[in-house]
Amino acid sequence: MPPRELRAEIYRVLSEAFKEPSPEFAEMLGTGELFQFLTNSSGKLGLSFEFGGIEGYRSLHLQDLKRLYWDAFHNPVASRVTPVESVYRRWSEDPASDSPLAKLKGYLMSDRALHVQELYRQAGLTFPPEFSAAPDHLALELEFMALLCERATFKAQADFCADHLDWLDDLAADAVRKGIPAFYRVMIEATAALVRRDAEMLAKA
């Protein structure tokens, strides 16, 4: 099992990829540090993942990267994806629920969102106002997983992966189907692969 510190750093870097790009993230991309870190990290997890789609965007300025971010995750609706767990889950997992939304997918603040919100509360965490309608946004879940890597048992980490990070293959398939910008498609596919591999190692640990 790779060191806790490395795994926490992987999750933190992946988390930044799903927030609106910051100058620091753009610099990490531009210097090649992002490509190098993900390549080395995936190797240490026993993966050989192709990050060429990231390398091709090294010359982007921050504003261009922000435009790709908005094109991938915000508009237009028909050709973007929503990196929020609830969108890929049944809205309610309560068999007794009589809500017309209960068995449907595609809506925010599902039972999974309420559960992860409670996990944050128990850990003494708050989240930014811009995520108030989506506490189960991928950026937050990855950031929380980084915290678990540092503080929690392998079982707690494995439980969180199983409960809240097993929908990423569906997100990746959506990203391909909708043709979002290649940089973010590669980041989603890489995240899905890295999380899947980490979950496998946690299950054995």
Side-chain angles (χ1 to χ4, degrees), residues 35-185:
F35 173 79
Q36 197 65 46
F37 174 79
L38 291 176
T39 299
N40 292 343
S41 299
S42 63
K44 290 175 181 177
L45 291 179
L47 285 173
S48 177
F49 191 87
E50 177 54 56
F51 292 98
I54 294 174
E55 271 289 79
Y57 285 87
R58 281 182 60 176
S59 61
L60 282 181
H61 294 297
L62 176 60
Q63 290 306 314
D64 295 325
L65 187 58
K66 285 186 176 184
R67 176 179 53 79
L68 292 181
Y69 171 85
W70 279 85
D71 287 347
F73 302 124
H74 291 282
N75 54 31
V77 172
S79 58
R80 55 95 165 135
V81 296
T82 304
V84 175
E85 183 182 5
S86 287
V87 172
Y88 292 88
R89 303 288 198 184
R90 286 177 50 170
W91 189 72
S92 177
E93 297 174 7
D94 180 359
S97 175
D98 58 0
S99 169
L101 299 180
K103 296 181 179 180
L104 301 180
K105 295 182 179 181
Y107 294 91
L108 299 178
M109 293 303 293
S110 71
D111 286 354
R112 297 295 180 114
L114 299 179
H115 180 247
V116 81
Q117 186 171 294
E118 176 60 17
L119 293 178
Y120 299 159
R121 187 195 66 77
Q122 291 176 8
L125 302 176
T126 57
F127 47 89
E130 60 266 30
F131 291 110
S132 60
D136 53 341
H137 191 284
L138 182 55
L140 296 184
E141 292 191 337
L142 293 171
E143 202 166 339
F144 186 65
M145 187 62 189
L147 185 70
L148 293 180
C149 288
E150 294 173 336
R151 300 182 183 178
T153 64
F154 286 149
K155 182 181 185 307
Q157 296 171 48
D159 288 347
F160 188 78
C161 277
D163 290 344
H164 293 288
L165 290 172
D166 65 345
W167 53 280
L168 301 185
D169 288 333
D170 292 337
L171 176 64
D174 247 5
V176 172
R177 182 172 60 83
K178 294 193 174 185
I180 70 168
F183 174 78
Y184 283 104
R185 175 181 55 77

